[in-house]
Amino acid sequence: MKVANQHYRTIWLNEDGQSVDIIDQRWLPHEFRIVTLKTVADVATAIRDMWVRGAPLIGVTAAYGIAIAMVSDPGDENLEKTWNELNETRPTAINLRWALNEMKTFLAPLSPDRRADAAYRRAAEIAEEDIELNRRIGQNGLEIIRKIAAGKEPGEPVNILTHCNAGWLATVDYGTATAPIYLATEEGIPVHVYVDETRPRNQGAQLTAWEMVGHGVPHTLIVDNAGGHMMQHGKIDMVIVGTDRTTSQGDVCNKIGTYLKALAAKDNNVPFYVALPSPTIDWTVSDGVVEIPIEERDEDEVSFIQGKAGDGSVSRLRISPEGTPASNPAFDVTPARLITGLITERGVAPASGEGLRALFPERAH
Ligand code: MRU
């Protein structure tokens, strides 16, 4: 997508042909910084400390991490070691393990001297595939937006609530939840996005809002607790969120607070959609609440906020008393019964085992 009229992806191969460049998302929206990841340790830090984040993007970054590892030591032992090191960086988004497995399965049968080149090729393919999956999600989600728009007065916007950042910054390009929004905007359908701030890391306020500004999408930032009120007052036509792991039965694990939005949507008959590429489906898990590991992040993320001071510097401020402990579960699970539909690259499925298997029959056994 565009930043200051220049086209960017979130990750690309550095001109040295081995390192990868990323947008360092910790500084947005205040500063647009690009950093180069040269070692597996760099890649692990970038994922763990959320320089890159969002389920599809951390998968692609990890894939490049394997490629970087294969340059200095393409042996089996290093492949296994790097897989383990990167797999441990974040526990919830299944795309991470999916991408690592794709790389391992592809590289393991090759002789070590061929692995480095092959690894860069496969990582680049995974990045391209992500873009294509998101583009198709966009087209499938666009049809839903078109139908809602058709029931409105001319010029009246479709009001969409989104949570966290499932935008192009969370993927290689387009985004999942935002792909239909971008395509609707390109088509001239008036949309207006309510952006949840998404405490504690404020991915909505910092990243989604930045994307909306950059692409001229009308939007309004709201506090996380405002969604239910907005729905009661008829201000939201639909919700679209992303997901970090969707179970074989259609339960959706996503950023903390998604579940509360889904409950409010159900109570107010507001359609609640989840946009996901198929690598986000964990076919081995059936009960999301019991089986999906929820990342517990540092309590400082809750006790401090980051913002831009009057002198332009970006700094952190404590908002709770010294000595107040905080708990920081980063994700929650929304049961399938609260979800209107899963927008995938193959179409929109009911959130259920049958619904998913109808779209992905190769998984039906
Ligand atoms: O902790 P984050 O910022 O990595 O969490 C991101 C989300 O929860 C997104 O909604 C999810 O990864 C889907 S991104 C297309």
Side-chain angles (χ1 to χ4, degrees):
M1 303 294 283
K2 289 223 162 93
V3 181
N5 264 336
Q6 212 178 313
H7 187 259
Y8 278 95
R9 290 177 174 182
T10 50
I11 185 165
W12 61 95
L13 193 62
N14 183 275
E15 55 196 23
D16 70 10
Q18 289 185 352
S19 316
V20 286
D21 291 345
I22 56 156
I23 299 171
D24 184 346
Q25 302 188 19
R26 290 171 301 164
W27 305 101
L28 290 172
H30 311 297
E31 293 172 22
F32 183 74
R33 291 194 196 176
I34 291 166
V35 295
T36 302
L37 309 178
K38 295 187 172 143
T39 64
V40 174
D42 289 346
V43 170
T45 302
I47 297 173
R48 190 182 299 108
D49 294 348
M50 296 176 66
W51 307 9
V52 288
R53 25 69 51 206
L57 179 57
I58 61 179
V60 173
T61 310
Y64 274 112
I66 296 272
I68 290 171
M70 292 298 93
V71 174
S72 54
D73 177 357
D76 286 350
E77 208 177 303
N78 195 37
L79 180 56
E80 197 60 32
K81 183 172 148 271
T82 309
W83 190 100
N84 284 320
E85 184 178 343
L86 294 174
N87 186 49
E88 278 166 13
T89 50
R90 293 194 75 188
T92 303
I94 196 64
N95 307 58
L96 177 65
R97 200 166 72 211
W98 174 86
L100 288 169
N101 283 343
E102 283 289 306
M103 295 298 285
K104 190 159 84 172
T105 311
F106 184 68
L107 297 176
L110 303 180
S111 69
D113 59 316
R114 295 181 51 215
R115 283 183 184 164
D117 283 352
Y120 280 100
R121 266 203 318 279
R122 184 67 193 119
E125 273 170 20
I126 291 174
E128 292 301 328
E129 283 162 17
D130 179 63
I131 297 171
E132 180 54 21
L133 295 180
N134 297 335
R135 216 181 42 75
R136 292 196 210 158
I137 287 169
Q139 282 162 347
N140 294 329
L142 173 61
E143 285 178 29
I144 300 169
I145 297 179
R146 277 195 194 124
K147 280 192 196 128
I148 296 175
K152 297 218 159 221
E153 296 297 323
E156 200 192 337
V158 176
N159 285 297
I160 302 170
L161 177 76
T162 191
H163 190 66
C164 193
N165 173 264
W168 71 269
L169 289 168
T171 63
V172 180
D173 209 345
Y174 284 111
T176 56
T178 56
I181 293 170
Y182 289 133
L183 294 191
T185 307
E186 276 171 26
E187 194 171 282
I189 298 173
V191 294
H192 169 266
V193 180
Y194 281 104
V195 177
D196 279 346
E197 62 173 347
T198 318
R199 283 276 294 145
R201 287 191 66 108
N202 294 317
Q203 288 97 327
Q206 297 184 333
L207 305 178
T208 304
W210 181 78
E211 287 193 25
M212 299 293 113
V213 169
H215 296 87
V217 181
H219 63 286
T220 304
L221 178 64
I222 57 174
V223 297
D224 289 326
N225 293 326
H229 167 81
M230 296 291 190
M231 292 181 206
Q232 280 176 328
H233 289 267
K235 292 191 172 162
I236 313 278
D237 295 306
M238 71 187 297
V239 182
I240 317 181
V241 297
T243 165
D244 291 81
R245 198 187 292 216
T246 293
T247 71
S248 62
Q249 302 307 309
D251 294 343
V252 162
C253 181
N254 190 48
K255 182 52 58 194
I256 193 79
T258 303
Y259 172 45
L260 289 177
K261 297 301 168 309
L263 283 170
K266 187 75 170 179
D267 195 43
N268 290 284
N269 289 319
V270 172
F272 187 96
Y273 287 96
V274 181
L276 64 138
S278 51
T280 308
I281 306 169
D282 186 345
W283 297 96
T284 69
V285 164
S286 55
D287 185 334
V289 175
V290 173
E291 295 175 74
I292 296 179
I294 300 295
E295 180 177 12
E296 184 75 30
R297 293 192 62 87
D298 197 298
E299 58 183 278
D300 278 5
E301 291 183 353
V302 178
S303 308
F304 291 80
I305 50 163
Q306 175 175 294
K308 190 175 182 177
D311 65 0
S313 62
V314 177
S315 50
R316 279 176 4 129
L317 295 173
R318 174 174 270 284
I319 55 169
S320 57
E322 300 273 359
T324 294
S327 166
N328 188 11
F331 300 94
D332 61 22
V333 173
T334 298
R337 66 188 151 78
L338 300 177
I339 299 167
T340 310
L342 301 173
I343 308 172
T344 77
E345 71 269 17
R346 292 199 190 167
V348 182
S352 64
E354 301 75 53
L356 278 171
R357 284 191 298 276
L359 281 189
F360 298 92
E362 69 274 24
R363 297 291 183 162
H365 45 270

